[in-house]
Amino acid sequence: MRNHTALGASLICGMALAACSPTTPTGSPSEADPKVAIVSPVAPAPSQPSGGRQPVAFDPCSKIDDAVPAALGFDPTTRKRGDFVFDDYAFIGCQFSRKEAVRGQPLEVGTLTISSTNITLDEMRARNYEGARPTTVNAREALFSTSRAAEACNIAFTGPDATIDVRVDSSAAFTDWVGCDHIDEAARTVEAALPSK
C-alpha cells in the first residue's frame, strides 16, 4: 500500500534543507473539542520548533468531527496522524481511509488527508506545484494542484493558521473510484467544518 502524504510532500522534501520524515507523536489521545464527535481519538500533535513562524495551532485530528470524513465516504475509525514538521514550518495533519472489498478482502483504496500549515497560500503558489491553478472553496481563496504519480489532488485554502490543505488520493489498481473526482466536494465539506473566519 502506498504511503499517502500531505500536499506536495515529495516536493517539500526536495526543497527543504532539514530532513523530511513524518513525525510520530507519542502520548495520550489529543484533547478534542467536546462539541466535536470523535470515535477513535489519536495522540496529540507533535511539538514544533520555533523557527520564526507562529506554530500551527489548529489540529485537524482533534478539531474535525467524524461526520466530515463519513460524509465523503471515508471511515472515521481509521483516523490517524499525518504530520510533517520541519525546522521552520509544519503540516499538522489527519488521515482517513476509504475501504472497499477487493477480491473478497477489505482494502484501502483511497485516503483523505486534512492538514493545517503555517505556509501561506502565496508561498504555495511560489512553489509551482504540478497542475497548480487558482480556485475558490466556498468564499475562500484557494489553490488546486495534482500529483499524477500519486493519483492525488489537493486544494489548499486560507485557514485558521495560514492554510488548510485537503488531499484526496486513490489507487486505480484496486478501485474505479477516482479520488480527484471528489476533491472539490472534500474541500467544501472541510471548509464548512472550520471555525468562523
Side-chain angles (χ1 to χ4, degrees):
M1 194 60 58
R2 291 168 297 128
N3 180 27
H4 306 293
T5 58
L7 169 66
S10 60
L11 293 174
I12 292 169
C13 290
M15 295 177 189
L17 296 176
C20 175
S21 61
T23 304
T24 304
T26 57
S28 58
S30 55
E31 290 283 326
D33 185 321
K35 294 177 277 191
V36 176
I38 296 176
V39 172
S40 302
V42 298
S47 61
Q48 301 166 55
S50 53
R53 294 179 192 255
Q54 189 75 18
V56 175
F58 182 81
D59 180 2
C61 265
S62 63
K63 300 296 185 183
I64 295 292
D65 195 287
D66 282 351
V68 172
L72 296 166
F74 294 86
D75 182 356
T77 67
T78 64
R79 180 185 297 259
K80 67 179 181 179
R81 298 222 62 93
D83 308 302
F84 287 84
V85 176
F86 303 91
D87 285 344
D88 61 349
Y89 63 92
F91 285 74
I92 300 301
C94 207
Q95 296 180 343
F96 304 89
S97 296
R98 177 185 177 86
K99 295 185 178 181
E100 293 180 2
V102 179
R103 294 184 287 278
Q105 297 294 322
L107 293 180
E108 180 183 291
V109 297
T111 305
L112 167 68
T113 305
I114 305 166
S115 301
S116 186
T117 178
N118 50 8
I119 296 177
T120 67
L121 210 54
D122 283 341
E123 288 175 292
M124 288 189 175
R125 285 192 197 96
R127 291 176 186 224
N128 197 26
Y129 292 114
E130 181 182 354
R133 60 174 169 77
T135 185
T136 57
V137 174
N138 298 335
R140 297 183 195 244
E141 189 178 4
L143 180 70
F144 169 90
S145 64
T146 186
S147 172
R148 285 170 289 184
E151 300 177 54
C153 288
N154 296 70
I155 292 182
F157 51 89
T158 54
D161 293 298
T163 58
I164 291 287
D165 170 55
V166 178
R167 175 184 175 102
V168 180
D169 60 41
S170 55
S171 176
F174 298 120
T175 183
D176 293 331
W177 183 85
V178 179
C180 285
D181 290 348
H182 303 276
I183 186 61
D184 290 317
E185 178 190 8
R188 288 193 302 268
T189 302
V190 170
E191 192 280 334
L194 295 180
S196 300
K197 295 188 240 181

